[in-house]
Amino acid sequence: MIKLLTILGCIGLGMMLKKVKQLPENLYLKLNRLLIRFFIPVLIVLHIPETIFTKAHIWPVLSAWIVFCGSLLFFFIIGKLKPIDRNSLGGLTVTAGIGSISFVGFPIFEMLYGSEGLKIGIIISTMGTFVICVTAGVLVSSWFAAKQPSPRSILLPILKFPPFIAFALALVLNLSLYRHPEWLRNILTTVNSIFPFLALITIGLAIKFSFKELKDRHLILGLSYKLFIAPILVFLFFYVLVKRIDLMAQVCIIAAGIGSMNTIAIVAMELGLNPALCSKMVGIGIPLSIPMLFVINFLLNT
């Protein structure tokens, strides 16, 4: 209960800060940039070099692809049963298929499952959802927008993305059996302790929630897949095929139900894939997903 109240309190604080006129209107974007360029790389460098990778770590990556491929199939079927305009269908496919693992997931994983859960979340994000975002996500968005993607347009964002650079460095350190000296670990841990709270406050600043928007049929379809169908798919994957619901499975299932990634929504909006709908998938999907994550966690542990 304390963890839930902490998460909701930080998000609520962010929502209240939006009403402070002295603060800049684009504070969310500035904090978003700070998290991406500094705090998330620090988080990765803290945990990944000392993570012992096993064959089991392929499952978190696969779970992210299951969610994305499931979205492709789901909205392909929906489009055949009841035609949806191409821009809306494309926007729904990519935003429902990729979750905001780093901004929403990392603080929740750490609060619910500690450092071990966070390590799994980092793998889902850096090797799963982000790679999907800048490869398959860009490809699918470009296809729906009738634009031709190039290898350069796909690879360049990956190579320039600070969390990816940090992950590549951390992976090299991991393979070289590097271990942080105690003084450096203490510094990284202290900096990292700020991240969960700042990330949740940033989410609160970004939220634009209105129950009136839930009358949008397309939005309901997108949220239905993202919040309900996606975690069920990942649960079935672990329960039926992997045949276990351990800590790794729980983190992957919860990750599947997290609201849409802001980055892929921006990509889709820039390509003209129904910007209003993509924005709602993030602004409404994230706050709705948070209480659902705790429901999923409760069900998994009963």
Side-chain angles (χ1 to χ4, degrees):
M1 180 60 70
I2 293 176
K3 292 177 180 178
L4 174 60
L5 290 176
T6 301
I7 290 171
L8 294 178
C10 289
I11 294 173
L13 176 60
M15 295 175 72
M16 288 189 290
L17 287 174
K18 289 193 297 185
K19 299 179 180 180
V20 179
K21 295 181 180 179
Q22 288 79 3
L23 294 175
E25 292 185 5
N26 61 347
L27 178 60
Y28 158 69
L29 295 176
K30 292 182 177 179
L31 290 177
N32 190 63
R33 193 175 298 115
L34 178 64
L35 290 166
I36 289 175
R37 296 183 178 180
F38 179 72
F39 280 98
I40 291 177
V42 167
L43 188 101
I44 291 169
V45 171
L46 171 64
H47 290 287
I48 293 299
E50 299 182 350
T51 297
I52 300 174
F53 288 100
T54 67
K55 292 180 180 179
H57 284 104
I58 191 64
W59 305 129
V61 178
L62 281 177
S63 70
W65 280 99
I66 287 169
V67 172
F68 184 75
C69 292
S71 181
L72 285 173
L73 180 60
F74 178 78
F75 288 105
F76 173 79
I77 294 172
I78 291 294
K80 293 295 183 182
L81 293 176
K82 194 164 187 178
I84 300 175
D85 67 278
R86 187 178 179 86
N87 285 343
S88 297
L89 191 63
L92 287 173
T93 300
V94 294
T95 55
I98 306 175
S100 183
I101 306 302
S102 56
F103 287 101
V104 182
F106 286 179
I108 290 178
F109 298 150
E110 188 168 27
M111 288 181 177
L112 289 179
Y113 301 110
S115 62
E116 289 304 311
L118 177 58
K119 290 176 185 177
I120 297 168
I122 290 173
I123 294 169
I124 297 172
S125 177
T126 54
M127 299 177 67
T129 53
F130 173 67
V131 173
I132 293 170
C133 172
V134 296
T135 55
V138 172
L139 279 168
V140 172
S141 298
S142 299
W143 185 80
F144 275 104
K147 294 185 178 181
Q148 294 296 323
S150 67
R152 176 183 173 84
S153 68
I154 294 172
L155 290 175
L156 198 57
I158 299 177
L159 298 176
K160 292 173 62 177
F161 196 58
F164 182 81
I165 296 171
F167 182 77
L169 171 63
L171 198 57
V172 170
L173 294 174
N174 181 284
L175 294 173
S176 64
L177 303 180
Y178 165 86
R179 292 294 179 267
H180 292 308
E182 194 63 30
W183 64 268
L184 180 58
R185 184 183 295 107
N186 290 337
I187 292 174
L188 294 173
T189 301
T190 301
V191 173
N192 175 60
S193 65
I194 303 170
F195 171 79
F197 306 102
L198 187 59
L200 291 167
I201 290 171
T202 304
I203 290 168
L205 286 167
I207 286 175
K208 296 178 180 178
F209 188 86
S210 172
F211 284 104
K212 295 179 180 180
E213 303 290 357
L214 294 178
K215 296 178 181 180
D216 185 333
R217 181 176 68 89
H218 294 165
L219 179 62
I220 291 174
L221 283 172
L223 294 178
S224 295
Y225 177 83
K226 191 75 205 72
L227 305 184
F228 299 102
I229 299 174
I232 290 173
L233 286 177
V234 175
F235 171 81
L236 292 174
F237 168 72
F238 278 97
Y239 186 77
V240 176
L241 297 179
V242 185
K243 299 186 184 304
R244 67 168 186 263
I245 304 294
D246 54 6
L247 173 64
M248 182 175 292
Q250 290 187 35
V251 173
C252 292
I253 293 165
I254 286 180
I258 292 174
S260 302
M261 178 194 280
N262 188 50
T263 304
I264 192 60
I266 291 171
V267 171
M269 287 188 284
E270 288 182 350
L271 291 172
L273 298 182
N274 196 332
L277 180 59
C278 292
S279 178
K280 292 174 189 175
M281 282 293 292
V282 176
I284 296 177
I286 285 178
L288 282 181
S289 72
I290 291 172
M292 287 298 302
L293 302 181
F294 284 89
V295 171
I296 294 171
N297 179 66
F298 174 77
L299 294 174
L300 291 172
N301 288 282
T302 54

